[in-house]
Amino acid sequence: MIRIGSFTEYERKYDQSIENPQEFWTDYAEKFIWHKKWDEVCTGDFETLGVQWFPGAKTNMSENCLDIHLDKRGDHTALIFEPNDPQEKTIKYTYRELHTEVCRFANVLKKRGIKKGDIVTFYMGMIPELLIGIIACTRIGAAHSVVFGGFSAKALADRIQDCNSTTLVTNDGSFRGAKIIPLKAVADEALTSCPLVQNVIVVKRTNVDVSMKDYRDVWYHDIYPDVEDDCPPVSMDSEDTLFILYTSGSTGKPKGQVHTTAGYMNWAAYTLKNVFQVSKNDIYWCTADIGWITGHTYITYGPLLNGITTIMFEGIPTWPDPGRFWAICDKHEVTHFYTAPTAIRSLQAMGLSFVEKHGLGSLKVLGTVGEPINEEAWEWYNKNIGKNECPIVDTWWQTETGGIMISPIAGITKTIPTFATLPLPGVEPVLVDKKGEEIEGNPAEGNLCIRNPWPGMTRGIYGDEERFRNTYFSAYPGLYFTGDGARRNEDGFYRITGRVDDVINVSGHRIGTAEVEDAINQHTSIVESAVVGYPHDIKGQGIYAYVICTDDVDDFDIFQKELVDLINKQIGPIAKPGKIQITKGLPKTRSGKIMRRILRKVAEGDTSNLGDTSTLLNPDIVDEIIKGANNI
Ligand code: WTA
């Protein structure tokens, strides 16, 4: 069992993990229930793309999340559900109760004909049945694909069609602050273009009216009473798909990241335990949504694999007031709190009065994830939430990595504001320059790559091996390219500087510029568009859209609203541009490529050094764009 308890131990384990990964991972993996042990710990490499962890072994994720704890800790609280409305009752599940619920859900799925190898899409609010439902899939060997409940019908349909999913689990609606999101209605619209989906299971939550299509749609509560409390876990191969999760990339189509069973299981459990230094009575709260990878690894699998208590929160940080997070921390005596910089910045902007009402005395460790945290937000978090006594783990990782890669180990690694600090044992980061040469020595700055396979890594983009190779393994042969830039200081501590590709990180959500451009270009008066990020005080980055129109726009407000509506329809409100600029042209190279570097600089308001513009096809356009930007 790996439990890093001191910095010397960190260093020792780090060396072991690189020199002898077999021994390192054998040690760790012993803690799980295996139906059959592995032949080898890891085979394959980045060249062949055939990486396998624990090949030959058989296991089951849900059994390791639940059954494994029943004997000794069956009555320990596994899940606390905190509803959107603070007046509504909290629901708690012990490990035994959660086990029963997961088995029942698995039996409902079976009753609807779902079997090993099927892909079940979830489009739900943050209610227990989402967590229960995805674990139920792992129990019967079906893969889950969770689509964030804020995505539009079109985005949901794209994600269902891409993996040929035949089953959808959804809600009538979901509560978010003062709003009700009509999930079933959106799902119905999506399903008009998904003929393969013959099976829709609807979990009642908001009681809004929904239409139910005969044979295709069933209420969960209609089947639930007729199923049994137990369901045997199916034996899965280590490399069987556990789930698919879509991320935006730098081209239009979202990428279905494929995660597999045994490697991900080890990575989720190991990273949570060590980074956060949890012990068995801790109450762990990650505020993410299960629609994102953070909610998969650090609300669902990581905490349950470790047998601790995880909190699932349905609502939003600012409703009914901006003290909600802190009220929940006190109410449930949260020991570990993990959130995103954008949430910290937005709560910081609301003033301290919402924090001061709450004692926050139970907190031991704070975490952040999703985007670079600025120093001011880090200091605010440290002083006002952690009372200068809780280590902050600034955890860098990605949907593709499955779990945390670079992060302090709470209370053990020295923290520096804005630094994700050091790689976890098992992770070998490399910085490369533009030519692809590795930069050795410190300090250094370059593109961040990883040298060796790790258990939690994505095994592919669903149905598109070529894109998988091109996106991650072709820029720097032999290395995994993260798409991020990073700096390393004199002591080898890493600071992530942000994306270096055409991906914008808005409030911790990855949005591909091409996806937004595709949506904007559907407007009949738009000839061409280019989308870049710009610095935003709360969201980290906002979306800046440059658009060329066919005619003069008479009423800019109406035009802007039409564009926002289009984006809502195509992607969802998270992709709404903060700034739209109409321009007569875009800076292009002689080969017709848009020079985004210039557009980014203008959007950032930094036009002092635009570099060489003389090679542009249309250098005059730059001045016009700068002038236009000043008027926004
Ligand atoms: C960014 C979220 C700086 C980064 C887990 C990465 C971060 C992308 C950090 C992945 C951090 C995540 N500091 N940047 N601590 N954590 N990022 O796939 O650009 O939603 O590539 O996974 O978020 O976002 P994703």
Side-chain angles (χ1 to χ4, degrees), residues 416-629:
I416 312 172
T418 75
F419 277 74
T421 74
L422 296 174
L424 296 189
V427 177
E428 253 189 295
V430 177
L431 292 181
V432 289
D433 64 18
K434 287 214 171 72
K435 286 187 239 125
E437 309 276 337
E438 186 176 337
I439 315 171
E440 290 186 44
N442 298 328
E445 175 160 9
N447 286 351
L448 179 64
C449 295
I450 309 291
R451 195 191 311 280
N452 278 320
W454 64 100
M457 69 175 275
T458 167
R459 300 299 196 268
I461 294 174
Y462 189 85
D464 202 341
E465 188 175 308
E466 198 181 322
R467 192 172 178 201
F468 188 53
R469 184 184 292 283
N470 288 341
T471 312
Y472 304 109
F473 305 102
S474 66
Y476 308 108
L479 301 174
Y480 164 84
F481 175 43
T482 64
D484 281 320
R487 258 179 235 153
R488 205 163 48 208
N489 76 3
E490 298 69 25
D491 300 324
F493 281 42
Y494 286 83
R495 175 179 187 202
I496 312 299
T497 48
R499 302 290 305 191
V500 293
D501 55 6
D502 289 329
V503 172
I504 311 178
N505 194 328
V506 184
S507 301
H509 304 319
R510 280 162 67 166
I511 297 172
T513 52
E515 237 178 305
V516 185
E517 288 162 8
D518 284 353
I520 291 178
N521 293 348
Q522 308 229 338
H523 192 287
T524 46
S525 6
I526 286 185
V527 183
E528 197 179 4
S529 65
V531 163
V532 296
Y534 71 95
H536 188 286
D537 282 352
I538 304 287
K539 298 177 177 175
Q541 280 192 297
I543 295 177
Y544 196 121
Y546 297 89
V547 298
I548 306 176
C549 299
T550 41
D551 311 303
D552 284 344
V553 168
D554 294 333
D555 187 326
F556 185 75
D557 288 343
I558 296 181
F559 172 71
Q560 179 160 318
K561 185 170 175 308
E562 284 167 0
L563 278 189
V564 169
D565 285 349
L566 250 178
I567 290 166
N568 278 345
K569 249 187 130 138
Q570 297 285 318
I571 309 171
I574 53 170
K576 177 180 164 185
K579 293 187 182 179
I580 297 172
Q581 179 178 347
I582 299 177
T583 171
K584 290 219 157 53
L586 294 165
K588 289 197 178 165
T589 61
R590 286 179 200 281
S591 60
K593 216 169 159 250
I594 299 172
M595 288 266 265
R596 285 169 189 280
R597 182 174 51 79
I598 294 177
L599 295 176
R600 262 187 231 120
K601 285 262 184 190
V602 175
E604 284 163 13
D606 170 17
T607 50
S608 56
N609 178 16
L610 290 178
D612 184 11
T613 54
S614 64
T615 56
L616 289 177
L617 197 61
N618 50 351
D620 297 345
I621 200 69
V622 178
D623 283 339
E624 196 204 303
I625 289 178
I626 295 174
K627 265 197 223 124

Side-chain angles (χ1 to χ4, degrees), residues 43-281:
T43 58
D45 54 34
F46 293 158
E47 308 286 332
T48 57
L49 299 191
V51 171
Q52 299 197 342
W53 281 86
F54 309 102
K58 286 188 179 294
T59 186
N60 181 281
M61 175 61 113
S62 77
E63 196 178 18
N64 281 297
C65 286
L66 301 168
D67 308 51
I68 199 169
H69 308 301
L70 292 186
D71 267 359
K72 293 202 182 116
R73 291 170 60 75
D75 297 325
H76 189 73
T77 306
L79 171 67
I80 299 178
F81 169 63
E82 177 63 28
N84 179 59
D85 182 348
Q87 307 300 325
E88 198 181 316
K89 243 180 103 207
T90 297
I91 307 175
K92 294 189 181 181
Y93 298 79
T94 63
Y95 271 90
R96 202 176 316 285
E97 287 162 346
L98 194 62
H99 177 265
T100 305
E101 291 305 315
V102 165
C103 285
R104 293 188 75 110
F105 204 121
N107 286 329
V108 169
L109 292 172
K110 281 204 297 220
K111 224 173 168 170
R112 293 295 293 168
I114 290 125
K115 51 187 191 320
K116 184 173 171 178
D118 288 348
I119 300 174
V120 180
T121 302
F122 288 79
Y123 182 65
M124 293 179 74
M126 280 286 286
I127 57 166
E129 286 81 358
L130 171 55
L131 176 144
I132 291 166
I134 63 174
I135 305 176
C137 284
T138 74
R139 194 148 189 102
I140 62 170
H144 54 78
S145 164
V146 184
V147 178
F148 172 59
F151 274 125
S152 68
K154 165 84 170 45
L156 171 61
D158 287 347
R159 286 156 177 77
I160 291 174
Q161 288 161 352
D162 183 75
C163 63
N164 297 323
S165 170
T166 53
T167 303
L168 176 69
V169 185
T170 188
N171 287 131
D172 49 351
S174 74
F175 294 119
R176 280 186 68 74
K179 286 196 212 142
I180 293 182
I181 318 285
L183 291 177
K184 177 65 164 67
V186 181
D188 284 341
E189 193 188 330
L191 293 181
T192 56
S193 54
C194 305
L196 284 183
V197 176
Q198 291 303 330
N199 219 338
V200 179
I201 301 170
V202 188
V203 181
K204 185 168 258 175
R205 171 63 182 139
T206 54
N207 261 321
V208 291
D209 277 345
V210 295
S211 72
M212 298 290 279
K213 190 169 166 186
D214 281 349
Y215 306 108
R216 189 193 70 181
D217 301 355
V218 290
W219 286 106
Y220 181 68
H221 61 249
D222 282 345
I223 312 178
Y224 179 91
D226 299 333
V227 297
E228 293 192 3
D229 274 354
D230 201 13
C231 170
V234 166
S235 219
M236 299 298 285
D237 284 344
S238 294
E239 286 296 333
D240 278 340
T241 300
L242 185 73
F243 65 83
I244 298 169
L245 186 60
Y246 283 87
T247 51
S248 287
S250 39
T251 61
K253 206 169 153 233
K255 301 179 291 210
Q257 300 295 343
V258 177
H259 283 282
T260 59
T261 305
Y264 174 84
M265 180 169 85
N266 275 271
W267 196 245
Y270 155 80
T271 52
L272 181 125
K273 174 104 182 169
N274 287 290
V275 169
F276 291 93
Q277 295 282 302
V278 290
S279 44
K280 64 185 198 327
N281 292 325

Side-chain angles (χ1 to χ4, degrees), residues 247 292-294 368-373 394-400 420 482-484 496 498-499 505 508-510:
T247 51
W292 311 114
I293 190 72
T294 311
T368 83
V369 60
E371 51 178 317
I373 183 164
D394 176 354
T395 64
W396 174 83
W397 60 292
Q398 312 179 292
T399 307
E400 292 86 338
T482 64
D484 281 320
I496 312 299
R499 302 290 305 191
N505 194 328
H509 304 319
R510 280 162 67 166

